[in-house]
Amino acid sequence: YHGVSLFFAAEYSCEYGSLKFYALCGVGGVLSCGLTHTGVVPLDLVKCRMQVDPQKYKSIFNGFSVTINEDGVRGLAKGWAPTFIGYSMQGLCKFGFYEVFKILYGNMLGEENAYLWRTSLYLAASASAEFFADIALAPMEAAKVRIQTQPGYANTLRQALPKMFAEEGIWAFYKGVAPLWMRQIPYTMMKFACFERTVEALYKYVVPKPRSECTKGEQLVVTFVAGYIAGVFCAIVSHPADSVVSVLNKEKGSSASQVLMRLGFKGVWKGLFARIIMIGTLTALQWFIYDSVKVYFRLPRPPPPEMPESLKKKLGLTE
């Protein structure tokens, strides 16, 4: 037994579920969400403008050319600072707390139930993590939408924050938190549960050898593919709420239900194709960066779950 623990000490930098493990997972979350979201600011800017002003910004390509004509190429980077800060905070909470809740709820269920109910476990852990992540993201998301969609409101984060506070007080930063939950919680539940089950399926049916025999590089390729598949589902699930959030932050005094009624069924699906490309790529990159950080820091990365021996005996699956 002592030999086993020495082997793990050499292979891993910390224990699974330790404070150091959670902290480094949080660092992975900061890098994976902060970098990827900042990288797609131009696409996000055009998407938000299409949702808020469809008459002026008719399509993605049209949106890009109108923006470049009016503000130059630099105009495409509008809102990069709140995006980077906001999504770094969100990533810290999203990935860090996901690992915390996954272990916490798994221990509450016990080994056998945690395996049988693993999809529900992923859904519950990711929903709990995202609840806190959105509270961290809300102030910066509100500032980002103002900077990107209200011409002349503010060009930088330093201009936007005091102006927003002067107009609406602290409420300006948190009025979007409920629609954010509407958009992000289903998205994150899909992102984590779909990813976990896709990884499991890929190793079971697609990858020709067991995960333990795959190199770190091969494992990261599986991570990327599973991330992209999960991302496509994520985009579809959360798109209607995303449309509502964009319109809501632009307009003062309207509620989510009023916006939803006005947009109608067709209106809420505007810009879906752009978002599938954006979110698919984003989600794949996020999982890839997150897993790479885990590899770099030598964190324990448990293989896809297998049925506990005790359960196999109960179900009569062992000789």
Side-chain angles (χ1 to χ4, degrees):
Y1 183 77
H2 182 61
V4 170
S5 63
L6 273 179
F7 167 74
F8 278 114
E11 191 179 355
Y12 299 126
S13 64
C14 62
E15 206 176 315
Y16 184 62
S18 63
L19 270 177
K20 184 183 176 186
F21 173 77
Y22 293 137
L24 289 172
C25 285
V27 170
V30 166
L31 292 172
S32 90
C33 290
L35 294 175
T36 50
H37 279 278
T38 310
V40 295
V41 161
L43 191 58
D44 185 47
L45 171 103
V46 173
K47 181 212 66 156
C48 283
R49 288 181 170 181
M50 278 167 65
Q51 286 169 324
V52 169
D53 191 352
Q55 266 71 47
K56 187 174 174 185
Y57 304 94
K58 293 179 181 64
S59 69
I60 291 206
F61 299 110
N62 172 264
F64 270 106
S65 62
V66 171
T67 303
I68 291 170
N69 286 340
E70 288 184 356
D71 306 331
V73 176
R74 278 191 66 182
L76 289 172
K78 255 190 169 176
W80 73 268
T83 301
F84 180 68
I85 298 165
Y87 282 95
S88 295
M89 301 282 292
Q90 191 218 25
L92 175 77
C93 298
K94 184 195 298 234
F95 284 94
F97 282 138
Y98 174 69
E99 301 285 358
V100 172
F101 285 119
K102 186 169 140 185
I103 293 173
L104 180 74
Y105 295 160
N107 292 342
M108 282 159 65
L109 286 171
E111 191 187 20
E112 290 180 10
N113 286 335
Y115 174 78
L116 288 171
W117 296 93
R118 62 192 181 282
T119 306
S120 305
L121 174 68
Y122 304 145
L123 291 168
S126 54
S128 306
E130 190 59 43
F131 176 83
F132 294 105
D134 288 341
I135 296 171
L137 167 68
M140 290 296 155
E141 177 76 5
K144 173 188 84 77
V145 173
R146 290 281 176 94
I147 292 168
Q148 289 183 342
T149 62
Q150 291 186 1
Y153 184 82
N155 281 322
T156 63
L157 186 58
R158 277 186 305 224
Q159 291 169 355
L161 295 181
K163 198 166 173 182
M164 287 169 71
F165 186 70
E167 281 177 5
E168 297 179 75
I170 202 81
W171 175 241
F173 302 111
Y174 290 101
K175 71 172 183 184
V177 80
L180 260 181
W181 284 329
M182 277 171 31
R183 179 186 89 188
Q184 290 293 129
I185 291 179
Y187 162 79
T188 301
M189 289 165 78
M190 193 59 133
K191 173 176 173 169
F192 282 85
C194 192
F195 172 78
E196 298 265 18
R197 292 306 299 247
T198 306
V199 166
E200 203 180 313
L202 286 174
Y203 281 115
K204 201 169 171 184
Y205 302 112
V206 182
V207 182
K209 53 187 176 180
R211 179 177 178 239
S212 50
E213 291 172 25
C214 295
T215 63
K216 294 273 195 291
E218 287 166 340
Q219 289 177 11
L220 288 172
V221 171
V222 174
T223 299
F224 186 82
V225 173
Y228 212 105
I229 294 168
V232 172
F233 287 104
C234 286
I236 296 168
V237 162
S238 63
H239 192 72
D242 183 67
S243 299
V244 175
V245 171
S246 291
V247 177
L248 199 64
N249 272 326
K250 183 206 174 198
E251 295 177 1
K252 282 184 190 158
S254 45
S255 70
S257 53
Q258 288 167 332
V259 172
L260 196 57
M261 294 285 285
R262 205 177 64 246
L263 283 174
F265 184 75
K266 251 184 94 173
V268 293
W269 294 106
K270 272 257 157 66
L272 176 65
F273 183 64
R275 200 149 175 274
I276 284 181
I277 295 172
M278 174 173 141
I279 299 291
T281 313
L282 258 185
T283 309
L285 282 173
Q286 282 176 359
W287 278 114
F288 185 77
I289 292 169
Y290 182 62
D291 226 14
S292 303
V293 169
K294 280 184 162 179
V295 169
Y296 178 78
F297 285 122
R298 303 206 327 278
L299 296 186
R301 294 157 59 243
E306 287 182 3
M307 191 180 286
E309 289 303 317
S310 55
L311 194 59
K312 283 184 186 168
K313 282 189 185 128
K314 274 185 198 170
L315 296 172
L317 296 173
T318 49
E319 271 69 67

